[in-house]
């Protein structure tokens, strides 16, 4: 096998095998078939890149087909947004098609199936149909209407089409096998009555085909050779083929369905229903909110089409589900923006800096490189004056040895400008620094070639001249959720994991070269990250969105929280061994504060469960976390683990563990009642006064 063949993903290998077995290359045809009931998200991008990528590789047409069979949820707004997203991603479709284009043909085929005894009208309630269908382990049974005559079925179906019946009164079902091990084959629905306005066909139709019926037949009409779906449709393949078998003409291409693993990305949700909930409940500001995983949201935030295509290429096409780290998407974005985004200076948390030995009326225009990664990007002029803004965090009046920014008595370089030295500060009545006074070395200008300019200093700071700075609104976006899998926890609403800091709006100042920026332009704010000009920008108002930081802050935060919990557990040992009560309380307070600072829900749960073992210190740690963390509740822990946890804690030799276990049980009434016997036994044998007092207070 050649190197090229080894690099093929399994879908490409299937196509290569088809061609090797005589399938004509000019008959290859693919499609991307979104349902227009929401905006496309990053998960759809994988399918888009796969289907259109195959089209490019094999020089085959790719249709854009809207599977618009449910007028209750579909809108023209979604159709327009999907087309815009596809074009922005850089893909062009061969034909724009709609399942609604085929409504008459689908109806005619359904009539044919009724005549052939392959479909019938069922008039049961949905509840009765569900009961009659059986379960995965119990076969279904024939319904009371399964053997209606062809004539009665045809009459009823025409009446459904004409609007003679209410919604839910009748459905058309395929007549297959009510005992099939595949529940989808147990007489699935083909049509239902819906008196809804369709965004394309208006009120022409009163019945609409089900997705499973319309999808494969639409593929057949368009002569799609390889119908590529995600893994949740594996069980649908048998039904897909059965529907095709009812209408297939062997002079035409018969589509075949193949499944690949969809994209699962951590720290977000991919369900259209949940994304719609975020929009409808105004938790986000529309489908294109820069915190949303939608293509339009990513575009508005400042993502590039190239970075998304690169991301989809890196993750590849697989048969097995896995979860991709959001950091990989951000890595692809940084790589792309690093090459293309001009460097500029902006200050987002400004503090005034005065160069006391710089002439008050002097003004210089210094040369600054636009992008060191792109030689053709050239240079620009930035104004320099006596009074500047720098970032507040870039100065400490009393700094530790490893603080490589500005402090009193230390030197730093101002980017593209001079070396300065901290001399003094001015503070307000509350003791807050309002002004920093420095001196500069006149001979140290960057690029001057002087000996002073080549002097090494601890750090380099960005800045803007106050006199020339442009005020701007900066929207600092972060991940929408604080948990890796916000919609995967039983009995937890995914909204409980919203990141309260996902959007912060600040007033910043930028250099004057940005006066005429346009929506969609991207820049690197030096030392701060990549930023995109938002569509809300207007004359006299510049709005920037933070796209991504220069480093992976979440990976850093995750490691910090893991390390903090590990170190906090070590502090438990110190707390237990400490004889002095005051010192012990200080250690305990520190432990509690550390626990409260941890945001990662999954990490907290894992830590609690991991420490449910026959070790006093470990049990103390788990009890403290459960008692003091506001990110976790007792109901979040599996019942078996929780029972073991309480049982071991109440039997612990350490009084502090027993006390915390009793207090945790107080907040868990269901288990409190279950442990009445053990609590009574504990009271009988307890020697510790604090534990006894607590039990007495509870009237055990």
């Amino acid at each position: 096998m050649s190197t090229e063949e080894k690099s093929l993903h399994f879908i490409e290998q299937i196509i290569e095998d088809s061609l090797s077995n005589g399938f004509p290359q000019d008959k290859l045809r693919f499609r991307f078939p979104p349902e227009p009931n929401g905006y496309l998200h990053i998960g759809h991008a994988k399918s888009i890149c796969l289907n259109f990528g195959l089209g490019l590789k094999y020089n085959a047409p790719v249709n854009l087909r809207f599977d618009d069979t449910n007028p209750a949820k579909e809108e023209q707004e979604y159709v327009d947004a999907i087309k815009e997203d596809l074009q922005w991603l850089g893909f062009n479709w061969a034909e724009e098609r709609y399942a609604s284009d085929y409504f008459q043909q689908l109806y005619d085929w359904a009539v044919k199936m009724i005549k052939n005894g392959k479909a019938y009208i069922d008039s049961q309630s949905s509840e009765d149909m569900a009961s009659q269908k059986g379960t995965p382990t119990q076969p279904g049974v024939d319904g009371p209407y399964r053997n209606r005559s062809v004539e009665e079925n045809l009459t009823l179906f025409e009446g459904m089409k004409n609007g003679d019946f209410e919604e839910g009164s009748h459905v058309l079902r395929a007549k297959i096998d009510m005992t099939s091990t595949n529940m989808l084959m147990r007489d699935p629905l083909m049509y239902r009555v819906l008196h809804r306005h369709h965004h394309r066909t208006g009120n022409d139709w009163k019945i609409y085909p089900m997705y499973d019926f319309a999808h494969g037949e639409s593929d057949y009409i368009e002569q799609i050779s390889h119908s590529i779906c995600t893994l949740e449709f594996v069980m649908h393949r048998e039904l897909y083929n059965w529907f095709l078998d009812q209408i297939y003409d062997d002079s035409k291409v018969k589509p075949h369905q193949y499944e690949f693993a969809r994209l699962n990305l951590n720290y977000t949700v991919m369900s259209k229903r949940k994304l719609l909930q975020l929009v409808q409940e105004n938790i986000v500001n529309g489908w294109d909110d820069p915190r949303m995983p939608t293509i339009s949201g990513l575009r508005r935030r400042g993502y590039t089409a190239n970075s998304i295509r690169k991301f989809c290429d890196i993750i590849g096409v697989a048969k097995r589900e896995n979860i991709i780290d959001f950091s990989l998407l951000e890595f692809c974005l940084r790589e792309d923006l690093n090459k293309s985004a001009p460097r500029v200076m902006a200050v987002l948390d400004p503090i005034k800096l005065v160069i006391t030995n710089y002439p008050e009326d002097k003004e210089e225009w210094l040369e600054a490189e636009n992008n060191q990664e792109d030689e053709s990007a050239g240079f620009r002029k930035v104004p320099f004056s006596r009074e500047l803004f720098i970032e507040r965090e870039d100065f400490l009046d009393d700094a530790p040895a490893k603080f490589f920014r500005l402090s009193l008595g230390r030197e730093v370089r101002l980017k593209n400008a001079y070396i300065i030295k901290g001399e003094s500060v001015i503070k307000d009545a509350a003791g807050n620094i309002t002004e920093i006074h420095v001196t500069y070395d006149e001979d140290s200008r960057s690029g001057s070639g002087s000996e002073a300019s080549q002097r090494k200093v601890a750090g380099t700071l960005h800045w803007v001249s106050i006199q020339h700075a442009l005020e701007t609104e900066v929207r600092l976006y972060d991940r929408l959720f604080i948990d890796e899998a916000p919609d995967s926890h039983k009995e937890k609403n995914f909204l409980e994991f919203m990141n309260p800091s996902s959007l912060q709006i600040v007033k910043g100042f930028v250099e004057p070269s940005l006066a005429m920026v346009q929506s969609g332009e991207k820049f690197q704010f030096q030392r701060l990250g990549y930023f995109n000009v938002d569509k809300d920008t207007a004359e006299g108002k510049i709005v920037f969105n933070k796209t991504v930081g220069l480093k992976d802050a979440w990976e850093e935060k995750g490691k910090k929280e893991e390390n903090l919990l590990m170190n906090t557990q070590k502090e438990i040992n110190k707390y237990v061994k400490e004889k002095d009560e005051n010192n012990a309380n200080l250690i305990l307070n520190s432990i509690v504060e550390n626990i409260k600072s941890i945001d990662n829900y999954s990490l907290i749960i894992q830590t609690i469960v991991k420490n449910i073992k026959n070790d006093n210190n470990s049990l103390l740690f788990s009890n403290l976390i459960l008692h003091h963390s506001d990110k976790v509740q007792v109901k979040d822990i599996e019942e078996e683990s929780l029972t073991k946890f309480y049982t071991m804690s109440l039997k612990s030799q350490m009084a502090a563990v027993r006390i915390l276990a009793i207090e945790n049980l107080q907040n868990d009434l269901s288990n409190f009642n279950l442990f009445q016997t053990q609590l009574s036994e504990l009271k009988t044998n307890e020697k510790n006064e604090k534990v006894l007092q607590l039990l007495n207070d509870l009237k055990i």
Side-chain angles (χ1 to χ4, degrees):
M1 188 179 285
S2 70
T3 304
E4 182 183 357
E5 288 175 328
K6 285 182 181 177
S7 68
L8 297 176
H9 59 67
F10 81 96
I11 296 287
E12 290 171 330
Q13 190 60 60
I14 287 169
I15 295 168
E16 292 290 339
D17 291 344
S18 297
L19 296 174
S20 298
N21 292 328
F23 189 86
Q25 179 149 353
D26 63 358
K27 295 289 187 182
L28 286 177
R29 183 179 286 269
F30 309 101
R31 86 289 176 267
F32 174 63
E35 185 181 353
N37 61 353
Y39 280 57
L40 297 181
H41 55 62
I42 186 65
H44 294 110
K46 181 177 178 180
S47 179
I48 293 167
C49 290
L50 172 56
N51 282 289
F52 283 93
L54 291 171
L56 292 169
K57 180 180 176 70
Y58 293 102
N59 193 28
V62 184
N63 286 355
L64 168 61
R65 182 179 74 242
F66 293 97
D67 281 337
D68 55 344
T69 60
N70 186 1
K73 295 184 178 180
E74 296 157 357
E75 298 177 20
Q76 185 63 39
E77 174 193 352
Y78 299 140
V79 171
D80 296 339
I82 288 168
K83 289 161 67 174
E84 182 182 0
D85 289 346
L86 276 172
Q87 290 170 332
W88 176 76
L89 281 170
F91 298 113
N92 296 305
W93 49 92
E95 297 179 33
E96 183 178 321
R97 298 289 194 99
Y98 296 81
S100 55
D101 293 339
Y102 316 135
F103 279 173
Q104 185 61 52
Q105 176 65 82
L106 293 169
Y107 177 80
D108 293 343
W109 278 335
V111 169
K112 178 183 176 182
M113 288 174 63
I114 293 173
K115 290 179 178 179
N116 291 339
K118 298 292 187 178
Y120 65 96
I121 302 298
D122 196 338
S123 306
Q124 297 181 89
S125 68
S126 57
E127 293 80 12
D128 288 343
M129 272 188 276
S131 174
Q132 168 243 336
K133 205 167 184 178
T135 68
T137 56
Q138 181 183 5
V141 295
D142 291 355
Y145 303 104
R146 196 172 193 266
N147 294 313
R148 267 176 166 155
S149 68
V150 170
E151 292 73 20
E152 187 180 3
N153 282 322
L154 288 172
T155 300
L156 286 169
F157 193 43
E158 185 176 2
M160 289 166 62
K161 174 178 178 288
N162 294 337
D164 297 342
F165 304 112
E166 296 296 318
E167 291 185 11
S169 55
H170 303 291
V171 294
L172 179 69
R173 294 177 72 175
K175 195 172 187 178
I176 308 179
D177 181 4
M178 290 303 294
T179 64
S180 173
T181 54
N182 182 351
M183 289 193 67
L184 293 171
M185 299 297 287
R186 297 180 188 177
D187 292 10
L189 270 60
M190 292 174 61
Y191 272 91
R192 75 285 206 201
V193 177
L194 279 179
H195 297 289
R196 306 293 178 95
H197 180 86
H198 190 279
H199 69 100
R200 292 188 74 247
T201 61
N203 297 313
D204 293 349
W205 290 87
K206 306 296 186 292
I207 55 171
Y208 291 92
M210 301 300 291
Y211 177 88
D212 275 329
F213 175 57
H215 183 77
E217 313 300 77
S218 298
D219 284 345
Y220 179 64
I221 292 170
E222 295 175 25
Q223 288 293 275
I224 303 303
S225 59
H226 295 73
S227 177
I228 301 166
C229 305
T230 47
L231 282 178
E232 61 262 39
F233 289 97
V234 167
M235 295 300 290
H236 294 248
R237 192 197 313 154
E238 186 180 1
L239 181 56
Y240 180 95
N241 291 333
W242 188 89
F243 278 132
L244 285 177
D245 288 341
Q246 310 313 309
I247 54 141
Y248 174 58
D249 176 345
D250 60 11
S251 66
K252 295 182 179 180
V253 171
K254 184 178 182 180
H256 285 84
Q257 177 179 304
Y258 304 97
E259 305 87 14
F260 71 100
R262 65 181 178 180
L263 170 60
N264 296 303
L265 200 62
N266 62 7
Y267 289 104
T268 191
V269 294
M270 295 291 200
S271 159
K272 277 187 187 176
R273 178 179 58 81
K274 288 174 181 172
L275 294 175
L276 178 61
Q277 184 180 348
L278 292 173
V279 173
Q280 290 180 332
E281 295 182 12
N282 296 316
I283 295 167
V284 296
N285 300 313
W287 285 97
D288 69 344
D289 186 299
R291 293 165 292 180
M292 290 279 273
T294 54
I295 302 297
S296 55
L298 294 169
R299 178 168 65 244
R300 185 174 178 185
R301 183 154 174 172
Y303 274 75
T304 62
N306 188 54
S307 67
I308 293 174
R309 293 196 305 268
K310 179 68 174 176
F311 171 69
C312 292
D313 182 53
I314 288 175
I315 62 176
V317 179
K319 295 182 181 181
R320 185 173 297 175
E321 296 276 8
N322 63 341
I323 298 173
I324 307 298
D325 197 314
F326 203 98
S327 298
L328 179 59
L329 177 59
E330 293 178 329
F331 169 80
C332 293
L333 178 62
R334 285 190 197 92
E335 273 213 326
D336 194 44
L337 291 176
N338 185 49
K339 299 169 188 171
S340 59
R343 277 54 167 164
V344 296
M345 290 194 288
V347 175
L348 305 187
D349 185 15
I351 188 168
K352 185 177 180 180
L353 181 142
V354 180
I355 307 172
T356 56
N357 62 334
Y358 193 91
E360 291 189 25
D361 56 352
K362 186 177 179 180
E363 176 185 292
E364 294 180 78
W365 287 81
L366 306 174
E367 195 168 71
E369 194 174 16
N370 286 327
N371 188 345
Q372 64 268 34
E373 300 292 326
D374 180 5
E375 291 183 6
S376 65
F379 294 81
R380 70 189 186 286
K381 296 289 187 180
V382 291
F384 186 82
S385 60
R386 174 186 170 92
E387 296 185 350
L388 311 173
F389 282 136
I390 66 168
E391 296 289 349
R392 190 173 299 275
E393 67 173 17
D394 280 342
F395 177 81
L396 283 177
D397 51 349
D398 184 17
K402 291 189 177 181
F403 184 73
F404 299 121
R405 286 167 276 180
L406 182 62
S407 62
L408 297 181
R410 293 192 195 174
E411 289 186 327
V412 294
R413 174 172 290 285
L414 295 174
K415 181 73 175 173
N416 306 309
Y418 298 94
I419 292 174
I420 59 171
K421 181 180 180 182
E423 301 291 354
S424 62
V425 295
I426 295 177
K427 297 183 179 182
D428 61 17
N432 301 308
I433 298 172
T434 58
E435 210 169 284
I436 305 164
H437 287 187
V438 301
T439 54
Y440 86 119
D441 183 342
E442 187 177 1
D443 295 327
S444 65
R445 181 168 56 83
S446 295
S448 65
S450 68
E451 185 177 341
S453 71
Q454 297 174 37
R455 194 164 81 249
K456 300 295 182 184
V457 291
T460 300
L461 310 184
H462 61 278
W463 51 273
V464 291
S465 167
I466 293 177
Q467 178 185 340
H468 304 88
L470 301 174
E471 185 177 315
T472 179
E473 178 181 311
V474 182
R475 298 169 182 173
L476 302 173
Y477 289 104
D478 202 350
R479 296 184 188 179
L480 195 54
F481 298 96
I482 59 173
D483 190 76
E484 292 183 20
D487 57 353
S488 69
H489 305 289
K490 292 180 181 179
E491 299 182 14
K492 294 284 277 189
N493 188 318
F494 76 105
L495 296 178
E496 293 181 48
F497 299 105
M498 301 299 299
N499 180 3
S501 303
S502 64
L503 171 59
Q504 298 179 55
I505 300 175
V506 300
K507 181 176 76 173
F509 295 90
V510 298
E511 62 179 70
S513 67
L514 299 177
M516 303 302 290
V517 293
Q518 300 295 314
S519 174
E521 286 189 89
K522 298 161 180 59
F523 300 90
Q524 184 195 101
F525 288 0
Q526 291 186 310
R527 299 178 64 231
L528 298 175
Y530 294 97
F531 291 75
N532 182 61
V533 183
D534 189 73
K535 68 179 184 180
D536 289 344
T537 293
E539 187 175 348
K541 179 188 178 184
I542 303 174
V543 180
F544 280 101
N545 298 325
K546 183 175 183 180
T547 307
V548 68
L550 296 176
K551 295 180 180 179
D552 186 351
W554 275 81
E555 182 181 13
E556 198 173 302
K557 181 183 179 184
K559 287 178 180 176
K560 279 183 178 178
E561 291 197 338
E562 285 183 29
N563 291 334
L564 182 59
L565 271 179
M566 284 172 53
N567 292 330
T568 302
Q569 187 160 9
K570 291 176 184 176
E571 290 295 302
I572 292 284
N573 297 327
K574 292 183 183 177
Y575 167 69
V576 170
K577 291 177 180 178
E578 180 58 55
K579 304 298 183 186
D580 184 272
E581 188 175 350
N582 290 332
N583 289 341
N585 286 334
L586 288 173
I587 297 171
L588 181 60
N589 290 339
S590 174
I591 290 170
V592 170
E593 288 306 310
N594 288 347
I595 288 170
K596 289 180 176 178
S597 72
I598 304 295
D599 288 327
N600 190 324
Y601 170 82
S602 297
L603 177 62
I604 295 170
I605 291 289
Q606 290 164 13
T607 304
I608 290 174
V609 173
K610 187 173 67 176
N611 283 282
I612 300 174
K613 53 190 178 182
N614 195 20
D615 175 84
N616 290 324
N617 289 6
S618 297
L619 289 171
L620 178 61
F621 191 39
S622 281
N623 273 285
L624 283 167
I625 295 173
L626 190 59
H627 196 70
H628 293 287
S629 173
D630 62 356
K631 301 297 186 298
V632 65
Q633 300 174 39
V634 288
K635 67 182 178 64
D636 301 329
I637 301 171
E638 290 185 0
E639 187 176 341
E640 185 178 344
S641 296
L642 192 60
T643 301
K644 182 180 176 183
F645 170 62
Y646 285 136
T647 301
M648 297 178 79
S649 296
L650 292 173
K651 290 180 179 179
S652 171
Q653 296 173 340
M654 190 184 295
V657 175
R658 300 197 298 276
I659 289 170
L660 276 167
I662 295 167
E663 289 177 344
N664 283 327
L665 274 167
Q666 273 186 277
N667 299 322
D668 180 9
L669 291 179
S670 59
N671 276 296
F672 182 80
N673 294 327
L674 290 174
F675 276 84
Q676 286 290 317
T677 301
Q678 191 170 340
L679 287 168
S680 296
E681 290 174 357
L682 178 62
K683 183 178 179 181
T684 302
N685 301 311
E686 184 58 58
K687 302 287 190 258
N688 184 278
E689 290 184 7
K690 290 183 179 178
V691 179
L692 274 173
Q693 183 61 52
L694 185 57
L695 291 168
N696 287 328
D697 290 345
L698 292 173
K699 296 183 171 57
I700 297 297

